[in-house]
Amino acid sequence: MPARRREPLAREEPAELQVAATNGNIVTDSRGRKYIDFVMGWCVGNFGWRPAAIAKAIERFKGPDYVYPGYAYAPWTELARLLASLAPRPLTTCFRATGGSEAVDLALQAAMIHTGRRAFLSLEGSYHGNSLAGLSVGASDNRERIKNLLPHCGKIAPPLDAKALRRVEQRLKRRDVAAFVMEPISINLGVLIPEKDAIRRVRDLCRRYGTLFVADEVACGFGRTGRLFAFEHFDLDPDMLCVAKAMSGGLAPIGAVIATAPIATSMEENGGAFYSTYGWHPRSVAAAIATLRDLKANRPRLLASVAEMSEYFRIRLLQLEFNRPAAVRIQGLAIGIDVGDEDYADSIHDNCRRNGLLVSTEGSTVLLLPSLAIDKRTAARGLDILARSI
Ligand SMILES: Cc1ncc(COP(=O)(O)O)c(C=O)c1O
């Protein structure tokens, strides 16, 4: 299980990829070389780069340069309503954030305020953002680098099997855990897909012992796994949902927590105001409203296309002959190919780059996160390059 965190872009990607332009499924570098993009900014460009509806909304934007968080701004309400309309019914109230790390941090604060508890539980090796709280619930080896992360953060080694479930119950029984936080399908753990019964059992245990269940869908949300949100695969009802990345189609930074009404009431009553100077900047809000309106209107078509392309990727990937036994994990267009060796995964990444394809890696897993709007011809060209690069 990969426990390392992605390095900053300049170190993860060889320095020569100087991005000059992004369009559709293609990244162009400063020398004019084109790459098929199977990373899409790591789940940011779910709808392709520069989706027309979103780009147009930004071009037409004539709103205020900035709105002070203490004032009202009608598009904030509109975006909050739009988000709540996409989330399941008990999730009614949005908190504004500038991105995924802030969203997760807010959710953890909200959990502590609402429950009066201080401990957290999460999956070992996971990634939940770069704030101190996010790193605290992330991989334990973060503590080797940063010596003063939050205490009382328990980790459950994945997968969620019977042993892991026993550990979850033992820990929750003490009734001091404010929240269990996880990506329902973990992109950061190389597309780890839990058993439905197991994740539902975790949710039930949370309910039984008064712990909030926080779904971090910063990466796996907005259609990536073939459902609008990954928790829908398991008929789950999270207490809080963290979103960011694809929410604005990559055109502007934004994030949000969507919480139940009782949690929102606790926030109001206990001063959890979550001031964020650039949280929901007007331009980001314009991009997010355009993105989510488009997503809402085209949801059935988009998800049908994800299902079709997912099957295409699955069939093609199972035909590939890797140097060593490889396991393909695929849900929608979240695709992890565990090639069993980190160096081999890195060499595939580098060969793909040389051959004109962008992929990502997490430890020994090669990650493919193509646009949800990818056409078969581009997918085939990308997969041909992958086949030449293994
Ligand atoms: C699951 C998850 N949570 C939180 C974050 C942090 O989001 P951001 O980089 O927007 O702060 C990430 C980023 O990769 C993520 O994958």
Side-chain angles (χ1 to χ4, degrees):
M1 202 51 58
R4 88 195 153 98
R5 194 44 235 140
R6 288 192 301 288
E7 297 295 331
L9 189 69
R11 286 181 57 192
E12 179 188 325
E13 311 287 4
E16 70 270 23
L17 183 61
Q18 291 283 340
V19 175
T22 51
N23 193 10
N25 296 292
I26 303 295
V27 170
T28 307
D29 74 11
S30 54
R31 292 172 305 173
R33 186 151 189 241
K34 294 193 187 307
Y35 303 82
I36 293 176
D37 194 352
F38 278 4
V39 182
M40 297 309 288
W42 231 86
C43 305
V44 171
N46 280 15
F47 316 110
W49 296 125
R50 279 230 147 233
I54 308 169
K56 210 177 278 169
I58 288 282
E59 275 158 28
R60 285 201 196 126
F61 176 73
K62 294 276 184 293
D65 282 344
Y66 178 75
V67 180
Y68 169 64
Y71 300 154
Y73 179 52
W76 283 342
T77 314
E78 185 184 351
L79 178 55
R81 289 211 175 109
L82 200 48
L83 268 176
S85 74
L86 293 170
R89 192 175 283 267
L91 297 176
T92 53
T93 310
C94 294
F95 294 95
R96 303 190 292 258
T98 49
S101 298
E102 196 179 65
V104 171
D105 205 290
L106 293 184
L108 299 181
Q109 290 177 47
M112 287 199 273
I113 291 173
H114 182 68
T115 62
R117 300 174 176 185
R118 60 180 178 175
F120 295 108
L121 206 54
S122 55
L123 293 186
E124 184 56 283
S126 58
Y127 181 73
H128 294 289
N130 248 332
S131 72
L132 287 179
L135 293 170
S136 301
V137 296
S140 290
D141 64 4
N142 291 331
R143 289 171 194 271
E144 289 162 23
R145 285 184 298 128
I146 302 164
K147 302 296 178 195
N148 200 18
L149 294 180
L150 290 179
H152 315 295
C153 293
K155 305 289 153 61
I156 301 296
L160 282 177
D161 54 14
K163 185 166 148 231
L165 289 173
R166 272 197 303 279
R167 281 211 53 218
V168 172
E169 178 152 27
Q170 274 165 9
R171 190 60 199 82
L172 295 189
K173 251 185 190 164
R174 282 152 52 185
R175 293 185 183 271
D176 65 345
V177 178
F180 186 104
V181 53
M182 71 179 283
E183 291 185 272
I185 289 176
S186 181
I187 313 285
N188 287 279
L189 288 167
V191 186
L192 191 68
I193 306 164
E195 293 290 332
K196 185 170 180 175
D197 284 352
I199 192 170
R200 287 183 61 81
R201 176 99 180 106
V202 170
R203 207 297 168 238
D204 289 345
L205 289 170
C206 286
R207 209 185 323 268
R208 180 179 314 160
Y209 296 113
T211 295
L212 299 179
F213 184 88
V214 176
D216 179 353
E217 299 236 6
V218 166
C220 63
F222 297 124
R224 170 58 54 194
T225 67
R227 296 283 179 92
L228 195 55
F229 296 109
F231 65 75
E232 294 173 23
H233 290 284
F234 313 107
D235 301 323
L236 285 184
D237 58 334
D239 295 296
M240 279 186 269
L241 172 63
C242 302
V243 291
K245 290 192 187 274
M247 182 173 164
S248 57
L251 271 86
I254 195 159
V257 179
I258 318 168
T260 60
I263 296 173
T265 304
S266 294
M267 298 302 105
E268 268 164 41
E269 289 174 356
N270 296 289
F274 298 149
Y275 185 96
S276 174
T277 297
Y278 277 103
W280 288 25
H281 184 275
R283 265 171 214 284
S284 303
V285 170
I289 288 175
T291 305
L292 299 186
R293 268 200 202 138
D294 204 51
L295 178 60
K296 200 170 172 177
N298 295 312
R299 170 159 51 176
R301 192 153 46 88
L302 182 78
L303 296 184
S305 160
V306 171
E308 188 189 334
M309 291 310 296
S310 176
E311 188 54 14
Y312 178 68
F313 270 86
R314 196 181 65 78
I315 291 167
R316 288 279 319 255
L317 290 173
L318 291 177
Q319 288 165 354
L320 293 184
E321 288 186 12
F322 290 90
N323 270 352
R324 25 177 93 226
V328 175
R329 295 186 291 265
I330 177 162
Q331 188 81 56
L333 287 173
I335 304 167
I337 312 160
D338 192 340
V339 294
D341 179 82
E342 193 164 334
D343 289 339
Y344 182 38
D346 288 345
S347 79
I348 292 174
H349 168 278
D350 293 350
N351 291 341
C352 283
R353 165 75 65 80
R354 254 174 247 119
N355 294 329
L357 174 70
L358 303 179
V359 301
S360 185
T361 58
E362 280 296 331
S364 61
T365 300
V366 177
L367 278 176
L368 310 183
L369 304 163
S371 157
L372 308 185
I374 194 166
D375 57 286
K376 207 171 257 178
R377 195 165 153 264
T378 309
R381 279 171 52 215
L383 286 163
D384 290 346
I385 296 176
L386 179 62
R388 289 206 306 277
S389 308
I390 59 178

